[in-house]
Amino acid sequence: MKVLQISILSLIFLSSCSQRNASIAESDGFVNIDNTKLYYSIIGAGDTLVVLHGGPGLSHKYLKPQFDSLLSCKFTLLYYDQRGSGWSEGVEDTLKLNIRTYISDLEEIRSHFKLSEFNLVGHSFGGLLGMYYGINFPENLNSLVLIDTDAASYELRTPYQIKTINSRLTQEQNNYLDSIFDSKEYKNYNVAAYYKYYKTFLTSYFANPRDTSKLTLGFDSISIKKIDATNSHVRKELGKYDIHDQLYRITCPTLILHGTKSVFSVEGAEAIHNKLTNSELQLFENCGHFEYIESPNKFKQLVENFYGVN
C-alpha cells in the first residue's frame, strides 16, 4: 500500500539512517495555540509523519533516538510535546488537560504546519489520541499507525495493565520504588531520582527487562514537573471511556503494531482491528510495549512497507 510519495531528496542520501542523520537538517521551536506554547522538533527527509508520544505527561524525547535512527532517512518526523508535557506549557491550566483540548491542539498543529492531511504515528496514549482525532476529523486523516496503543476502552486497557505490571514487578522492586517515591529528592523533582524510579518501573513494560537500558527517557528539570500532574488530570477526564462504536468513522489505512508481551492486551489491539475496516494488525512475538526498541528491524520494515517506501 503506497500512500506517500518519496521525495527526491530522500533518494540521494545514504541508505543507513544512522549514517545519514548528521546530514539531515533538524529544527525546533514553539507553536502558540490558545495562548499556550507547544514545543516541536522536526527532522528527516520525505513526507511528514506526525508523531504522538505516550503518557500523557511524558515528552516526545523517549521516542526520538530510535525513531530518528530508524525512520528519518525516508520520512520527515514532526514531533511535538502535548499540552502540559515535556517543554510545552499548559500544566497549570488543568481545565484544559483533557482529550477534547488535545484533539483541538492536534488540529491546530495541522493548520500551523500547513498539512492538508495527517499521517499520524501514535505510541501508547498517543495511539489513543490518534484514534480520538480520527473520529472527530476523519477527513483530515490520511493514514494512522498505532504502536502498542492504549485500548479503545478503559475496560480493555486498565485492568489488564495493572494486573500485568503487578505480576512482573518483584517485592524488592516495589520496595525500591516506594523508597524513591517517598524520598525528598523525588518530591523536589530531582532528575536522577526520576530516572531511577522510571527505569525500574518500566522494566515491567519490556518482555526482557534488560532492554530497559536501551530506553532514553529524556528527562530534565522542565519536563519531570509535569509528568504526574498532567497524567492524573487527563486520565481522570477520560474516565471509563469506550470509543469502539465510533471507530467506524476512521476509514484511512491503519497499521496496528502490538507486542504479545505488552502491558496492554492483545485483545485490546484485536478489538481495534475488528472495528477499523481498513486496518492490518501485526503482532510482535515476545515483545513488550516498545517494539521499536525490542524489535527495531521488524518495526522499520513494517512501517516502510505500509507506506510503500522500502
Side-chain angles (χ1 to χ4, degrees), residues 16 26 194 247 278:
S16 168
E26 184 169 8
Y194 267 72
L247 290 178
N278 196 9

Side-chain angles (χ1 to χ4, degrees), residues 244-287:
H244 286 102
D245 290 344
Q246 301 175 64
L247 290 178
Y248 73 92
R249 293 178 57 81
I250 300 175
T251 58
C252 69
T254 301
L255 175 63
I256 306 167
L257 308 176
H258 206 86
T260 61
K261 301 295 184 181
S262 173
V263 292
F264 294 154
S265 69
V266 172
E267 180 186 4
E270 291 174 338
I272 294 169
H273 173 52
N274 291 336
K275 290 292 186 178
L276 295 179
T277 56
N278 196 9
S279 68
E280 61 176 291
L281 171 62
Q282 296 285 349
L283 296 179
F284 286 65
E285 296 295 331
N286 297 315
C287 278

Side-chain angles (χ1 to χ4, degrees), residues 71-112:
L71 300 177
S72 67
C73 54
K74 294 185 179 179
F75 304 100
T76 297
L77 302 176
L78 169 54
Y79 306 94
Y80 78 98
D81 288 342
Q82 296 152 24
R83 181 178 294 260
S85 305
W87 285 2
S88 291
E89 297 177 344
V91 68
E92 297 87 0
D93 191 354
T94 57
L95 292 177
K96 293 182 180 179
L97 292 178
N98 58 63
I99 197 66
R100 298 179 301 281
T101 305
Y102 277 42
I103 295 166
S104 177
D105 287 345
L106 185 49
E107 176 61 6
E108 290 296 324
I109 290 288
R110 186 186 69 83
S111 176
H112 177 86

Side-chain angles (χ1 to χ4, degrees), residues 231-239:
N231 188 280
S232 62
H233 281 291
V234 175
R235 289 292 177 192
K236 182 179 179 180
E237 285 293 320
L238 273 172

Side-chain angles (χ1 to χ4, degrees), residues 273-308:
H273 173 52
N274 291 336
K275 290 292 186 178
L276 295 179
T277 56
N278 196 9
S279 68
E280 61 176 291
L281 171 62
Q282 296 285 349
L283 296 179
F284 286 65
E285 296 295 331
N286 297 315
C287 278
H289 190 53
F290 299 92
E291 294 88 345
Y292 62 93
I293 293 176
E294 297 171 88
S295 186
N297 292 334
K298 179 178 179 179
F299 170 81
K300 180 176 184 289
Q301 191 64 53
L302 286 172
V303 173
E304 289 183 352
N305 288 348
F306 178 67
Y307 285 111

